[in-house]
Amino acid sequence: MAEAYPRSDSESASSSDNEEDWLNKAGDEDDEEEHEQVSVVSLFDDKVFPDAPAMLAYCKDKFGFDFVGVRDRLGLDFHGCVKLINLVRRSVKEGAALPREITADHLADDDKLLIPVLADDALIFCLDDLPESGKGQQGGSSAEIKAEEAQAGTGEKPAVDDLLQKNAQLQAEMEQLAKQFTNYRLAVEQTLDKRWGVDEEGEKKKAESSSSKTAAPEPKVDDSAYYFESYDHIDIHETMIKDTVRTNAYRDFIYANKHLFAGKTVLDIGCGTGILSMFCARAGAARVLAVDNSAILDKARENIFHNQLDSVITCIRGRIEDVVLPVDKVDIIVSEWMGYCLLYEAMLPSVFFARDKYLRPDGLLVPSHASMWIAPVSDGEYVAESVSWWRDVYGFDMKAMQAGIYTDVKMTVMPKDAVCGTAHAFRMLDLHTAKVEDLVFEDKWQTTLSDKVEALDGFLVWFDCFFAESRTEAVEPSLTAKEWAAAGRERVAFTTGPFDTATHWRQGLYLIDKGKAKEIEVGPGKKLAGEIRYAIQEDHARGLSIRVTWGLEDADKQSQTWLLN
């Protein structure tokens, strides 16, 4: 774009100078951005510093601990410094006193000290910023010192050769640091493997097998990493906690049965924000172990601390199958493991693992039972608005948008009037005795159609949860959550079905593909029967493949399969 007004020579010169100043300033800002600020946490308290030397100077002045002095006295290498950092942090965290004089024996043969006490400990990543042995805390790197000495000796700027030498030395130091970090990560991984009991011989055989020419069958894909990462986000936890049907059920049961929790050790699997753990602690539990493999655990730890419950609740990061609990047995296991259509996400096997390994023989699972229900659906308005609608969108046929509508389970909240027959409880799980193999099944179901049936459009699946006060308290498979809760003054149960308050689980809608299915003559009083099968998807270990078979009683049956991803 042309300038609006021509500038005089003096204005041009002034502008040129300003532009040069601006460019120089911008260059300086770019240099600053390249050196990203870090936050180095004090070894002894929660004060934060912009660099490691400042933090260590603070620790030396206030706490009398000279990190660099100890490092130089013991001649510690990179791994030794990491151990020293974690030794100090672990002592502070556990409230234990440091040895009067730290010796090599305190660091030797203790690989656990390679496991960071403080997640993403910036001090470890800043070890190269510390002065070399024999240099003061104000000294720079070895390359910088040599360059300064050369400049001081000649009184002139370093020559090109000196600059090239300095660059080469800096590059070498960076490569050495990268190697140290690589070795450090490897050491931590090996230590964690030993800590969690990884079978080294089994891993060796696995590696040999993978390198062999004969390819083994590919295992089912387990999207565990994605699954746990999905729970890093706060919005999903907000949705769950704001589900008052869900959260009130846990709160009401725990608070109404404080005598069951008082003085007991409780394990919370998949603790999320820590709310269930805090319920248990407030109910009088002596100790609560909150386990989660998601980064949300950091938020849970803060929540627990701010509510002054950190003396009761211990947060542990990892899969329950991998972590080592600080106790042999627990009295109660509480967990919100339920997924869509109850078994989506495949978290229940983890609860079974913990039950078999950690729960005392007379221990309690919260919740204790879960039932699964199916009912026929007739809702012409829904079909018109969600299915047929795509065939005429402002005069355009957008059939392509119907992809998956008959093959994928749709999670939705259906109106109770859409249910056109009696609901059937096809499976009841007693969580104290159920096994993993009980989660893959094929059960019979039946229904009597009501006067609301106009056409059979699909099937609706939901679940109920029950909170029994003891292992001996039975729940009849045919009882709804509402019926069971009404039978006892303190009984707690909830449903995710269409006849009560909606929950974040909604219901699973299986639409029949009428282009492929045979039309059957329906009417009030007629009976339908069939089977429902739950199986794990071949390519998605946390997903479900659900097949429903249906037909008039004593007539031929047809089937359709839906996927829940």
Side-chain angles (χ1 to χ4, degrees):
M1 181 182 292
E3 294 177 337
Y5 301 99
R7 293 180 295 184
S8 66
D9 293 341
S10 60
E11 287 176 332
S12 298
S14 175
S15 174
S16 178
D17 292 340
N18 290 336
E19 288 176 359
E20 185 175 353
D21 291 342
W22 181 86
L23 289 171
N24 290 334
K25 182 179 179 182
D28 293 340
E29 290 175 351
D30 290 340
D31 290 341
E32 290 175 3
E33 290 176 359
E34 288 178 1
H35 300 283
E36 185 179 352
Q37 292 295 318
V38 296
S39 297
V40 184
V41 181
S42 167
L43 289 168
F44 294 93
D45 54 29
D46 58 359
K47 287 185 69 69
V48 177
F49 297 83
D51 55 57
M55 186 276 286
L56 294 180
Y58 165 78
C59 291
K60 184 177 180 181
D61 292 340
K62 183 169 182 178
F63 300 99
F65 180 75
D66 185 358
F67 180 90
V68 175
V70 175
R71 180 202 67 180
D72 293 347
R73 175 168 55 81
L74 299 178
L76 300 179
D77 59 6
F78 178 80
H79 288 88
C81 289
V82 171
K83 287 185 176 183
L84 178 58
I85 292 169
N86 290 321
L87 172 67
V88 177
R89 291 203 188 281
R90 186 168 71 178
S91 299
V92 172
K93 181 179 180 181
E94 296 174 353
L98 279 172
R100 273 182 172 274
E101 183 176 287
I102 298 176
T103 66
D105 291 338
H106 291 115
L107 306 176
D109 300 325
D110 189 356
D111 287 341
K112 289 183 180 179
L113 289 177
L114 288 173
I115 302 173
V117 174
L118 182 66
D120 299 323
D121 195 338
L123 179 55
I124 293 176
F125 295 93
C126 292
L127 284 174
D128 195 53
D129 294 340
L130 302 183
E132 292 186 347
S133 178
K135 301 288 184 183
Q137 291 231 10
Q138 301 302 318
S141 68
S142 59
E144 291 171 337
I145 292 167
K146 289 177 181 177
E148 289 170 2
E149 289 173 350
Q151 184 174 349
T154 62
E156 300 176 355
K157 291 183 178 180
V160 174
D161 291 342
D162 291 335
L163 290 174
L164 291 174
Q165 183 181 6
K166 175 183 177 180
N167 183 63
Q169 289 172 331
L170 287 172
Q171 188 68 29
E173 288 179 7
M174 290 176 63
E175 291 175 359
Q176 180 63 25
L177 184 61
K179 290 179 181 178
Q180 288 175 335
F181 281 134
T182 300
N183 293 335
Y184 171 58
R185 287 195 204 95
L186 180 60
V188 170
E189 289 173 3
Q190 292 172 343
T191 302
L192 291 175
D193 286 347
K194 291 177 182 178
R195 181 182 180 188
W196 292 340
V198 172
D199 184 354
E200 293 181 356
E201 186 63 29
E203 292 296 318
K204 181 179 178 181
K205 290 179 179 178
K206 187 189 296 184
E208 292 174 351
S209 175
S210 64
S211 62
S212 63
K213 292 183 179 179
T214 304
E218 291 186 7
K220 293 180 180 179
V221 176
D222 185 355
D223 296 330
S224 294
Y226 170 79
Y227 168 67
F228 291 117
E229 287 172 5
S230 69
Y231 282 91
D232 292 352
H233 307 292
I234 292 176
D235 55 351
I236 191 172
H237 296 279
E238 180 181 358
T239 298
M240 290 189 292
I241 292 176
K242 285 183 175 178
D243 183 346
T244 56
V245 173
R246 161 202 182 266
T247 308
N248 285 351
Y250 281 91
R251 181 203 60 187
D252 293 349
F253 177 79
I254 293 169
Y255 284 177
N257 293 280
K258 291 183 178 180
H259 63 286
L260 297 177
F261 289 84
K264 299 297 177 63
T265 298
V266 180
L267 171 61
D268 180 1
I269 303 173
C271 67
T273 60
I275 191 167
L276 302 187
S277 293
M278 292 190 285
F279 284 156
C280 295
R282 285 274 173 86
R287 189 173 192 179
V288 181
L289 304 174
V291 179
D292 203 300
N293 196 33
S294 164
I296 196 66
L297 192 69
D298 294 333
K299 298 295 183 184
R301 190 176 283 110
E302 290 184 43
N303 295 335
I304 290 163
F305 176 81
H306 289 313
N307 287 277
Q308 293 83 49
L309 295 172
D310 51 308
S311 61
V312 177
I313 304 173
T314 301
C315 293
I316 302 171
R317 175 77 181 266
R319 296 170 66 248
I320 189 61
E321 293 88 347
D322 297 332
V323 301
V324 178
L325 298 186
V327 297
D328 292 329
K329 295 294 179 181
V330 300
D331 302 295
I332 299 172
I333 292 178
V334 60
S335 179
E336 198 274 73
W337 52 266
M338 296 80 76
Y340 295 140
C341 298
L342 188 65
L343 299 182
Y344 177 67
E345 293 183 343
M347 186 178 166
L348 188 52
S350 296
V351 176
F352 289 166
F353 172 88
R355 176 200 66 188
D356 297 340
K357 184 173 182 178
Y358 294 112
L359 189 63
R360 297 185 189 281
D362 59 344
L364 185 66
L365 275 168
V366 180
S368 58
H369 299 73
S371 60
M372 306 172 73
W373 297 77
I374 186 172
V377 170
S378 178
D379 193 336
E381 184 178 350
Y382 178 88
V383 172
E385 292 179 354
S386 302
V387 182
S388 305
W389 179 81
W390 288 109
R391 301 308 302 273
D392 185 6
V393 182
Y394 293 93
F396 298 99
D397 186 346
M398 301 181 71
K399 180 181 179 181
M401 304 307 294
Q402 291 181 329
I405 203 164
Y406 296 119
T407 57
D408 294 339
V409 178
K410 182 172 180 60
M411 301 310 304
T412 186
V413 175
M414 293 296 288
K416 62 182 179 181
D417 291 340
V419 177
C420 62
T422 55
H424 181 91
F426 59 89
R427 176 142 293 228
M428 168 67 78
L429 294 172
D430 181 342
L431 303 180
H432 291 109
T433 58
K435 300 177 181 179
V436 173
E437 46 265 38
D438 296 330
L439 309 183
V440 176
F441 55 82
E442 189 167 23
D443 290 343
K444 296 183 181 299
W445 69 276
Q446 60 182 10
T447 184
T448 301
L449 297 177
S450 69
D451 56 3
K452 296 177 182 178
V453 63
E454 295 179 356
L456 184 61
D457 294 319
F459 307 95
L460 202 64
V461 168
W462 67 90
F463 64 88
D464 290 1
C465 270
F466 305 83
F467 296 74
E469 297 178 22
S470 72
R471 297 176 70 102
T472 58
E473 190 173 4
V475 180
E476 292 298 324
S478 60
L479 283 180
T480 66
K482 192 171 185 178
E483 291 170 339
W484 187 82
R489 187 166 58 90
E490 297 294 338
R491 281 185 172 179
V492 177
F494 70 83
T495 181
T496 63
F499 307 112
D500 213 323
T501 305
T503 71
H504 78 282
W505 285 290
R506 295 165 283 179
Q507 299 104 38
L509 175 62
Y510 311 152
L511 288 174
I512 294 174
D513 185 351
K514 295 186 178 181
K516 297 179 180 179
K518 297 177 182 177
E519 188 174 353
I520 61 176
E521 185 179 348
V522 296
K526 288 196 173 184
K527 296 183 181 297
L528 292 182
E531 297 176 338
I532 181 168
R533 185 194 70 179
Y534 266 53
I536 300 171
Q537 291 184 30
E538 290 295 326
D539 57 350
H540 182 11
R542 293 189 180 273
L544 292 173
S545 172
I546 303 169
R547 187 185 71 185
V548 177
T549 302
W550 73 93
L552 293 172
E553 194 175 33
D554 299 327
D556 292 339
K557 304 295 188 291
Q558 54 190 320
S559 65
Q560 187 173 327
T561 299
W562 294 265
L563 301 179
L564 182 51
N565 295 302

